[in-house]
Amino acid sequence: QWVGGDALAGLGLIFPPLFIIMGITFGLGSGATTVIATNIGKKDKENADSAANHIIYLGALLSLFFIVLGYFFGDFIIEFQSDNSLIVKHASDYFFTMLTGTFFMIMSIFFRSILSGEGDNLFPMKVLGMGTLINLILDPPFIYYFQIKGAALATVISQIIVFLIFTFMLIFKKSSYINIKPFNFNFNSKVFIEILKIGIPASLSMLIMSIGLFIYNKILAMTPLPVEAIAAYSTAHRIEHLFFIPIISIATSLVTLVGMYYGAKRIDLINKIIFYGLRIGLSISFIFGIFFYTSSIYIFPIFTDNPLIINIGVEYFKIFSFAIPLVTLTMICSRAMQGLGKGYPMFIITCLRVIVISCSLAYIFIVYLNKPLYFAWYAILISCTFSSLIAMIW
């Protein structure tokens, strides 16, 4: 509201590269979660501890890699998606500020993955919830004085605080079941390969989703209202987090529980927990589908007073609302397979959904057939339908 529609469009441009960093981190983190949970199920605490220590060191290396990559190629990544100088400036201000907090963000995600592996989701929720609250408190004054750069700065400060709390509690106070000993590290190739075997396909799935966002931004930039379309699309993604966060939480919990039961050879409990997760997830998704369909007209004006952005965003949710249960089915089935130590189904399903179906159809509809903008949203709905069927059958 304070910075304007161009800033919303700028956020749309930085969402793909930031999503790449977060996606690869979450993917590798879920690999560590699975390995830790499976070893706990086998009552092999030594290898569970080893997996935690390996992911901490991997986080430090990954942070350095992303920071260097971001500083050298950040401008190119942003400018590739739009030639609007004002949007590019907003995107650059936000992206390069966020890049300074990369280490703290990655390490906090990995700390959370370790705790999820041992079945503790309550403590991470409290810490991350406090970080979000700090972010919200800092946002108004920082945005007022520093514009969009201030929003990024508020996020970085909250990430530093979250990292410090996790470090103190897990490494120095040793309040978790898993022992993290970064100063007494012994490399174990078997454990490291197990993390990568599950984590890399999950990371590549997130990478594919980020590439899909790049392509969608490029397609939307070819429409008659490029700024408004990108702004509406990026804002819709933020609103969708109301739905995605509980579903991701359920799916992530399935990785832990399925991994533990698989390690303990309790196939009966695996079946039970998967169907329970599906029932709860679908119940939540139907509620959110109805909520987004009926309430998006009231939600979008909170973020912008631009009537074109609001209309495009509402049109998006009128179609995407029907895809929400399908997304839930795909996510829960994919994560359940990941808990069994199978990371590649998620990658294959994501490729089919994002690149083969969604982006291809959107390009055909918008660029080749010159259809109205809302056909890009139909492409998403069609892709979600096919991917959910494939995930369930698999």
Side-chain angles (χ1 to χ4, degrees), residues 21 25 28 52-69 99 101-111 114 163 171 182-183 185 192:
I21 297 172
T25 305
L28 291 171
N53 284 283
H54 278 75
I55 201 66
I56 290 297
Y57 273 89
L58 185 59
L61 293 173
L62 206 60
S63 301
L64 180 62
F65 172 75
F66 280 130
I67 290 169
V68 172
L69 200 68
L99 204 60
T102 301
F103 171 78
F104 308 104
M105 178 184 72
I106 288 176
M107 297 305 289
S108 296
I109 292 171
F110 281 164
F111 280 133
I114 291 166
F163 165 77
I171 296 178
F183 308 113
F185 176 70
F192 186 63

Side-chain angles (χ1 to χ4, degrees), residues 54-92:
H54 278 75
I55 201 66
I56 290 297
Y57 273 89
L58 185 59
L61 293 173
L62 206 60
S63 301
L64 180 62
F65 172 75
F66 280 130
I67 290 169
V68 172
L69 200 68
Y71 273 111
F72 280 103
F73 296 102
D75 287 325
F76 170 77
I77 292 168
I78 292 167
E79 291 168 5
F80 174 77
Q81 300 173 80
S82 176
D83 54 5
N84 185 306
S85 59
L86 187 56
I87 295 174
V88 167
K89 184 186 182 304
H90 283 307
S92 296

Side-chain angles (χ1 to χ4, degrees), residues 134-157:
I134 292 169
N135 197 343
L136 289 170
I137 292 169
L138 293 177
D139 264 334
F142 277 48
I143 293 172
Y144 181 80
Y145 285 107
F146 304 108
Q147 301 294 295
I148 196 169
K149 190 182 287 187
L153 190 58
T155 302
V156 170
I157 292 170

Side-chain angles (χ1 to χ4, degrees), residues 126-140 154 158 162:
K126 291 177 180 177
V127 176
L128 294 170
M130 188 182 72
T132 303
L133 185 62
I134 292 169
N135 197 343
L136 289 170
I137 292 169
L138 293 177
D139 264 334
S158 69
V162 165

Side-chain angles (χ1 to χ4, degrees), residues 25 33 52 99-100 110 137 147 196 204 254 264 275 322 335 380:
T25 305
T33 297
L99 204 60
T100 60
F110 281 164
I137 292 169
Q147 301 294 295
L196 295 182
L204 290 174
L254 278 175
F275 284 111
F322 292 96
R335 290 292 186 177
I380 295 172

Side-chain angles (χ1 to χ4, degrees), residues 97-280:
T97 306
M98 285 291 291
L99 204 60
T100 60
T102 301
F103 171 78
F104 308 104
M105 178 184 72
I106 288 176
M107 297 305 289
S108 296
I109 292 171
F110 281 164
F111 280 133
R112 177 192 168 280
S113 299
I114 291 166
L115 291 168
S116 292
E118 68 174 56
D120 181 6
N121 285 309
L122 187 59
F123 177 66
M125 182 197 74
K126 291 177 180 177
V127 176
L128 294 170
M130 188 182 72
T132 303
L133 185 62
I134 292 169
N135 197 343
L136 289 170
I137 292 169
L138 293 177
D139 264 334
F142 277 48
I143 293 172
Y144 181 80
Y145 285 107
F146 304 108
Q147 301 294 295
I148 196 169
K149 190 182 287 187
L153 190 58
T155 302
V156 170
I157 292 170
S158 69
Q159 288 170 345
I160 293 171
I161 294 169
V162 165
F163 165 77
L164 291 174
I165 294 170
F166 273 134
T167 302
F168 174 74
M169 295 301 291
L170 271 66
I171 296 178
F172 295 102
K173 197 173 179 183
K174 300 187 183 300
S175 61
S176 62
Y177 172 74
I178 295 293
N179 291 325
I180 302 173
K181 301 175 181 177
F183 308 113
N184 186 23
F185 176 70
N186 293 311
F187 181 73
N188 185 325
S189 60
K190 184 182 176 184
V191 170
F192 186 63
I193 290 169
E194 283 179 356
I195 292 172
L196 295 182
K197 191 173 100 175
I198 302 166
I200 287 177
S203 296
L204 290 174
S205 300
M206 301 292 187
L207 185 63
I208 291 295
M209 291 170 67
S210 302
I211 292 170
L213 290 171
F214 273 117
I215 297 171
Y216 249 76
N217 281 341
K218 199 71 178 172
I219 292 169
L220 295 177
M222 300 177 190
T223 61
L225 298 168
V227 174
E228 290 79 5
I230 294 172
Y233 185 54
S234 65
T235 306
H237 271 298
R238 278 151 183 78
I239 296 170
E240 283 169 11
H241 276 83
L242 291 170
F243 151 70
F244 275 117
I245 286 182
I247 300 303
I248 288 170
S249 300
I250 291 168
T252 304
S253 297
L254 278 175
V255 174
T256 303
L257 292 168
V258 169
M260 283 184 178
Y261 296 152
Y262 186 59
K265 305 300 180 188
R266 290 297 305 272
I267 307 302
D268 57 322
L269 292 177
I270 292 175
N271 290 329
K272 185 177 180 181
I273 200 68
I274 289 172
F275 284 111
Y276 182 77
L278 283 169
R279 284 202 307 272
I280 297 297

